[in-house]
Amino acid sequence: MNRSMQIKAMASELRMTILRLLKAPKTHFSHQWSADPEAFGVCMTLIAEALGIAQPTVSRHLDILKQAGFITVQKHQKWSYCMRDEQAIQDYLDWLKHEIARD
């Protein structure tokens, strides 16, 4: 995994907020009607609405999170759905903890 991309992804408060929202998709996106937000992911449009930002802006942030491996994106019809990759996030946190504690 590209650690520099992961560090870049975590260096943005907006991207951290996206990851926090995606941690509890049923809580934050229960109004999503097109697919179960927990099982299928959250539509990019709803993420943009939740953050109060334009869709192209959220798309760029989501792309960085995807490149870092922290989210997966799957397309269905005309929508793209995002879901956290819990294992990738945990691997990053484990790596970071190890790096910070190193002599």
Side-chain angles (χ1 to χ4, degrees):
M1 186 51 58
N2 183 339
R3 295 294 183 201
S4 61
M5 181 54 77
Q6 289 181 322
I7 292 166
K8 176 182 178 177
M10 291 297 193
S12 163
E13 184 57 40
L14 188 62
R15 289 190 287 274
M16 295 290 282
T17 300
I18 291 169
L19 289 175
R20 285 191 292 270
L21 290 172
L22 293 177
K23 176 120 175 99
K26 286 253 190 212
T27 300
H28 300 290
F29 302 101
S30 62
H31 59 289
Q32 178 173 281
W33 58 269
S34 57
D36 180 343
E38 202 165 70
F40 203 75
V42 177
C43 180
M44 285 184 179
T45 303
L46 294 180
I47 296 169
E49 288 174 9
L51 296 168
I53 60 176
Q55 190 153 352
T57 303
V58 83
S59 291
R60 177 67 188 129
H61 286 286
L62 291 168
D63 186 54
I64 291 169
L65 288 169
K66 181 181 173 191
Q67 289 178 47
F70 295 142
I71 65 168
T72 58
V73 179
Q74 61 179 329
K75 293 185 186 285
H76 180 66
Q77 296 178 355
K78 62 180 181 176
W79 296 292
S80 295
Y81 295 86
C82 304
M83 184 180 291
R84 282 172 48 126
D85 184 328
E86 297 298 336
Q87 186 60 57
I89 292 169
Q90 188 58 56
D91 289 348
Y92 172 76
L93 294 173
D94 291 344
W95 170 82
L96 185 60
K97 182 179 178 182
H98 177 270
E99 288 299 308
I100 289 172
R102 228 168 50 158
D103 286 338

